[in-house]
Amino acid sequence: MKIWKNAVLFYIGGCAYMALELLFRGRTHGSMFLAGGLCFLLIGFLGRARPRLPGLLLPLAGAMIITAVELAVGLAVNREWTVWDYRNQWGNFCGQICPLFSLLWIPAARLALGLYDVLEPRLPDCPVPRSLASPPGRGGTAL
């Protein structure tokens, strides 16, 4: 079941995003878990898409994904700028995104692509062997 694998990858991305915030800002917000999980999955899907984008275009597209998710989350939960505030940054849009942080997302997207490439093939599609997951009387045991 791909749902299990995607849920685990979402969780890893959410935790990583929150850890980055804690490391660099000293605080985070629950919405960043959702943003991080979504970004990690979308960037991973982008990295698996064929044809694959060449060279720097892939992390650049990943940074655009992160920026778009940050804007969407910001407009939904950061209306009072209590989670983050880019109003004093040059070129900001509604205080939610700015060119400086969009550029900083390029190496973050590159790291996310690498981590996704390492983790995704190693995770099982289903956490329970199919023989154990089938109903009793059909070759498996009940859990």
Side-chain angles (χ1 to χ4, degrees):
M1 232 194 250
K2 280 283 224 194
I3 293 172
W4 167 257
K5 185 183 279 194
N6 288 337
V8 171
L9 291 166
F10 185 95
Y11 180 81
I12 291 168
C15 289
Y17 206 84
M18 290 180 81
L20 274 175
E21 280 220 317
L22 287 170
L23 183 66
F24 289 102
R25 291 182 6 156
R27 63 186 174 90
T28 190
H29 186 268
S31 63
M32 294 297 93
F33 176 81
L34 299 174
L38 181 59
C39 287
F40 193 56
L41 283 181
L42 292 175
I43 289 170
F45 296 158
L46 174 70
R48 297 279 184 208
R50 296 293 179 254
R52 191 172 174 131
L53 291 173
L56 185 62
L57 289 181
L58 194 55
L60 185 62
M64 291 169 57
I65 287 170
I66 297 171
T67 301
V69 170
E70 286 251 326
L71 177 60
V73 171
L75 292 173
V77 303
N78 192 35
R79 294 179 188 192
E80 301 296 321
W81 301 282
T82 57
V83 182
W84 70 87
D85 185 358
Y86 296 154
R87 290 179 291 178
N88 293 328
Q89 295 290 330
W90 175 84
N92 80 84
F93 179 75
C94 297
Q96 305 297 338
I97 58 172
C98 69
L100 173 63
F101 280 88
S102 294
L103 286 173
L104 292 174
W105 292 132
I106 295 172
R110 182 66 208 120
L111 289 171
L113 285 160
L115 183 60
Y116 189 94
D117 283 347
V118 167
L119 293 176
E120 195 274 338
R122 289 172 172 78
L123 290 172
D125 287 337
C126 183
V128 179
R130 293 194 191 282
S131 62
L132 293 176
S134 61
R138 295 191 182 181
T141 58
L143 295 177

